[in-house]
Amino acid sequence: MSLKGLLFPQQNHHRNLIDTSGIWEFQADPNEVGELEQWFLSLPSPRFIPVPGTWNDLFDDLKNYLGLAWYRKSLVMPASWRGQRVFLRVGSANYEAKIWVNGTFLSSHHGGHLPFVTDITDALVWDKPNVIAISVENKPLPERVPSGPTPTGGLFGGPFTGYPATTYDFFPYAGLQRAVLLYSVPETQIEDLTVMTTIDGEDGLLEVRVKTSGKSAYGGKIQLENLVTDFELINGEATAKMRVPKARLWSPEDPHLYALTVTLEDAGNVIDSYTLNVGIRTIEVRGDQILLNNSPIYLTGFGRHEDFPISGRSTNLSVIVRDLELMRWMGANSFRATHYPHSEETAQLADKLGILIIAEIPAVSFNFADSDELIEARFAQCQVQLEELIQRDKNHPSVIVWNIANEPMVGNPLTGGGSEHGTQMGLKVFEALYKQAKSHDPSRPVTLVGVMNGPRAWLDVTDFISINRYNGWYAQVGQLDVGILELEKEIDEIYATYKKPILFTEFGADTIAGMHNQPSEMWTEEYQVEFLREYLDLADKKPYVVGMQMWVFADFKTGQGIFRVNGLNHKGVFTRDRRPKMAAHFLKSRWKKN
Ligand code: BDP
């Protein structure tokens, strides 16, 4: 595994960048003959596909296809890039990808939602077009994260198995879902930067870690406005500290970003530079509260999927801008990037707008009733994805929490079951992931999102407790009042046991836009509003509740199944095409401060 190149590529005096987004050649390879027949050079009968994109909603014959497929593009490299190291950076290939350049196999990557880079310098030609080929497949295998259908079923097994079958409640879109970037950097380069911020009185304190690679170097400068600090490299690395007097702190009310420029020098000459947007802020859990810049913050918002008609899960910049705009319209200050790392552009925009993000690895519905062997294989994947996620997102002020799992379970929590062995295996896995997150990044709280009836012991592993609850929907069906009484008892008990703050990371009711009833009934807009009101009212009475993120921002695509009308989860407060349901106006009335 290489963690190189997770610093977002940028264009400047020392670095170059080409975004290859556009139409690529594409061909599905159900018989997996491509490698043998050298499809990495040319595709026998290509069709055309956008990158970024997802193939399932574009071609009728590939609607449910998750097998192998090939992408191909040819490109002439600019002569001015010669002498630099050239990298190919794939933003997201769901799930496994392999890279060829000019017929040479160069690398592969597992895991569907995090970027990976390949040094392609030595495979390039400079006098004719270069052929880039990427094969991708998203087979629903049980050892993957998230896993394909698992032997023990889980929440989405048995009668609830959809098509395509998954262990989770969203469509398993496949393909090159984010941009493929080509970039070049000097031979000796800034490979990585880590900026941690703390507050001392009115001042901001920065710790900047610089990692370089290439020939052994030198030193350089860090500049933030008129503050300049020199650093010297030892074994290619340096740590510098800076004090920003009377710092303008980053917060949702004032998402101020400082431009921090790191330059690398050789005998007085600047040989590389990188500029990072830095927000000076702290985030911590203390007692019953989450503190942002030492003041309690109450999270309001949603779980959000990357999902839109036709573009599927792939980067759609208009949708990102619109979604964050709609969140601001409603006065929401946060969302959880469910159930996988969202695009880098999303966090870049959230940094600018002051929207808080809980980032999570794709460990959704991790079932600990499965064999130890499967559990170990998934655990290994989780560790890799957690490391890549933190590496990718660690410098975003908007990212305030790492979530290590969504609704892990032992068997099917709705029908009971579960074993002590599974619970213990889960404990081992989550304690290790928690420790890993803390060792990579001690500056952010870590959480785990618990499922209804899931093992309680898992909730105690992390800094605060996150829970998904559907009383009045999946439990106490249609009886919201009864459900809320049960819920109140339950959360009081959880708090009394663990004495940790509780965040609601999901609560919601499927709602068909335009369906109404008096008195309210499930699936109607009235029921959704009442449901949300009851939950928000309950939370308001509980000082240990640190926020309410409802499920879900917008209706989203799932597989076909008996409880997903039209292959959609309808718990959105917006429809899939972002029209508000009554509940959106209701939440606005609760959250928007004028
Ligand atoms: C929870 C999951 C979420 C589902 C939601 C639901 O975390 O992914 O979409 O419930 O059923 O189980 O709507």
Side-chain angles (χ1 to χ4, degrees):
M1 174 189 46
S2 162
L3 290 180
K4 276 180 173 226
L6 295 192
L7 200 58
F8 199 74
Q10 63 183 216
Q11 173 84 43
N12 64 28
H13 288 308
H14 308 278
R15 298 171 162 241
N16 293 296
L17 177 60
I18 293 174
D19 185 340
T20 71
S21 296
I23 299 292
W24 287 48
E25 288 179 10
F26 172 81
Q27 190 165 347
D29 183 9
N31 300 319
E32 305 203 353
V33 296
E35 280 196 40
L36 209 66
E37 295 180 3
Q38 304 199 321
W39 289 16
F40 41 77
L41 291 176
S42 64
L43 295 174
S45 48
R47 50 186 152 186
F48 301 98
I49 194 166
V51 174
T54 191
W55 66 64
N56 307 85
D57 283 356
L58 299 179
F59 307 110
D60 293 354
D61 57 321
L62 300 182
K63 181 172 163 52
N64 299 302
Y65 181 71
L66 303 174
L68 189 65
W70 292 76
Y71 289 74
R72 182 190 178 278
K73 186 162 191 104
S74 66
L75 274 169
V76 177
M77 298 304 296
S80 59
W81 287 31
R82 255 187 130 147
Q84 294 210 318
R85 298 302 311 169
V86 180
F87 293 91
L88 180 83
R89 188 183 195 267
V90 177
S92 147
N94 199 20
Y95 180 88
E96 185 177 330
K98 291 186 181 175
I99 309 283
W100 284 260
V101 173
N102 297 325
T104 305
F105 168 71
L106 293 177
S107 70
S108 63
H109 182 261
H110 285 267
H113 308 276
L114 287 158
F116 61 99
V117 296
T118 306
D119 186 335
I120 62 169
T121 320
D122 298 336
L124 288 173
V125 292
W126 298 90
D127 51 352
K128 56 178 193 231
N130 291 275
V131 177
I132 296 168
I134 306 178
S135 71
V136 189
E137 52 91 352
N138 188 21
K139 296 175 190 165
L141 305 177
E143 66 271 21
R144 292 186 165 177
V145 176
S147 87
T150 109
T152 41
L155 272 180
F156 299 93
F160 298 118
T161 308
Y163 181 68
T166 58
T167 54
Y168 44 84
D169 189 31
F170 50 92
F171 194 88
Y173 282 118
L176 294 178
Q177 304 191 127
R178 296 185 190 139
V180 175
L181 305 177
L182 276 171
Y183 68 96
S184 75
V185 291
E187 190 70 45
T188 300
Q189 83 226 214
I190 299 163
E191 183 185 303
D192 190 32
L193 294 174
T194 310
V195 180
M196 303 248 204
T197 63
T198 49
I199 300 167
D200 181 28
E202 290 196 322
D203 300 348
L205 301 181
L206 267 60
E207 187 189 285
V208 184
R209 272 184 247 150
V210 183
K211 190 165 182 249
T212 66
S213 64
K215 296 196 195 102
S216 65
Y218 328 113
K221 282 190 176 44
I222 304 173
Q223 178 153 16
L224 182 149
E225 295 183 340
N226 55 0
L227 303 168
V228 183
T229 304
D230 293 318
F231 63 84
E232 262 175 48
L233 292 160
I234 299 171
N235 296 328
E237 298 190 17
T239 300
K241 296 197 190 272
M242 290 180 100
R243 176 176 287 270
V244 183
K246 291 202 170 41
R248 195 166 150 196
L249 301 183
W250 186 96
S251 70
E253 294 74 35
D254 182 20
H256 182 70
L257 295 170
Y258 289 94
L260 177 124
T261 299
V262 178
T263 50
L264 207 57
E265 291 173 7
D266 176 21
N269 296 321
V270 175
I271 55 169
D272 191 17
S273 73
Y274 191 93
T275 299
L276 194 68
N277 279 334
V278 172
I280 300 177
R281 59 118 184 87
T282 57
I283 182 84
E284 69 179 302
V285 174
R286 207 187 296 156
D288 289 352
Q289 292 173 324
I290 297 181
L291 304 181
L292 179 80
N293 301 334
N294 295 318
S295 301
I297 176 119
Y298 193 87
L299 301 180
T300 53
F302 314 88
R304 171 186 182 260
H305 268 292
E306 292 186 312
D307 177 88
F308 201 68
I310 299 176
S311 54
R313 180 137 305 118
S314 63
T315 305
N316 183 326
L317 297 176
S318 299
V319 173
I320 296 171
V321 171
R322 185 64 184 150
D323 283 4
L324 271 51
E325 205 51 36
L326 287 171
M327 287 184 197
R328 277 150 51 93
W329 170 72
M330 296 166 84
N333 64 14
S334 68
F335 70 95
R336 180 166 61 114
T338 52
H339 286 307
Y340 37 77
H342 286 200
S343 70
E344 288 159 289
E345 289 83 354
T346 310
Q348 288 163 5
L349 183 62
D351 287 346
K352 294 188 165 88
L353 297 178
I355 291 178
L356 307 169
I357 299 177
I358 297 180
E360 77 187 27
I361 56 170
V364 41
S365 307
F366 193 149
N367 199 332
F368 287 89
D370 292 330
S371 69
D372 289 3
E373 210 184 342
L374 277 179
I375 292 171
E376 290 298 342
R378 292 177 198 150
F379 173 40
Q381 275 291 296
C382 286
Q383 288 173 301
V384 174
Q385 299 202 30
L386 184 60
E387 187 169 5
E388 291 179 357
L389 171 65
I390 294 177
Q391 179 68 11
R392 188 194 73 161
D393 284 357
K394 63 188 173 184
N395 292 319
H396 288 291
S398 59
V399 174
I400 54 162
V401 174
W402 306 119
N403 177 28
I404 56 175
N406 179 73
E407 298 200 342
M409 59 189 82
V410 187
N412 184 341
L414 283 185
T415 54
S419 69
E420 189 48 33
H421 176 70
T423 304
Q424 289 309 320
M425 287 293 283
L427 211 51
K428 208 181 88 189
V429 164
F430 297 130
E431 281 171 357
L433 291 175
Y434 174 79
K435 248 181 138 173
Q436 187 193 340
K438 288 289 177 185
S439 75
H440 290 322
D441 177 16
S443 78
R444 287 179 178 83
V446 174
T447 198
L448 173 150
V449 171
V451 67
M452 287 172 90
N453 304 323
R456 279 266 176 100
W458 294 350
L459 297 179
D460 200 23
V461 172
T462 56
D463 299 316
F464 66 92
I465 292 173
S466 296
I467 52 172
N468 296 345
R469 288 297 179 269
Y470 290 93
N471 299 45
W473 190 259
Y474 294 124
Q476 301 89 30
V477 177
Q479 300 176 78
L480 194 49
D481 46 349
V482 183
I484 288 291
L485 286 176
E486 285 291 314
L487 185 61
E488 177 162 18
K489 254 194 278 167
E490 192 200 358
I491 56 173
D492 281 344
E493 214 178 281
I494 293 178
Y495 177 69
T497 312
Y498 300 115
K499 292 274 184 279
K500 286 184 181 180
I502 298 179
L503 172 70
F504 276 78
T505 34
E506 287 184 26
F507 55 102
D510 283 275
T511 304
I512 306 288
M515 190 172 278
H516 293 279
N517 209 55
Q518 168 57 33
S520 78
E521 273 187 358
M522 293 172 78
W523 298 92
T524 65
E525 297 209 29
E526 286 81 1
Y527 194 82
Q528 187 181 34
V529 169
E530 278 171 32
F531 188 103
L532 298 177
R533 180 185 295 123
E534 290 293 327
Y535 275 69
L536 295 188
D537 286 350
L538 172 64
D540 281 350
K541 293 195 295 185
K542 306 292 171 188
Y544 56 78
V545 172
V546 288
M548 296 299 280
Q549 294 186 326
M550 65 80 57
W551 191 252
V552 57
F553 179 74
D555 294 349
F556 62 91
K557 188 88 187 120
T558 65
Q560 300 171 64
I562 55 172
F563 70 140
R564 292 289 175 254
V565 181
N566 200 17
L568 292 178
N569 181 310
H570 281 99
K571 295 191 184 71
V573 292
F574 293 92
T575 59
R576 199 177 184 214
D577 62 353
R578 276 44 176 185
R579 293 167 201 268
K581 301 179 190 171
M582 261 167 59
H585 295 281
F586 163 70
L587 289 178
K588 177 172 186 279
S589 75
R590 290 290 285 244
W591 290 341
K592 184 83 184 173
K593 296 184 206 103
N594 287 315

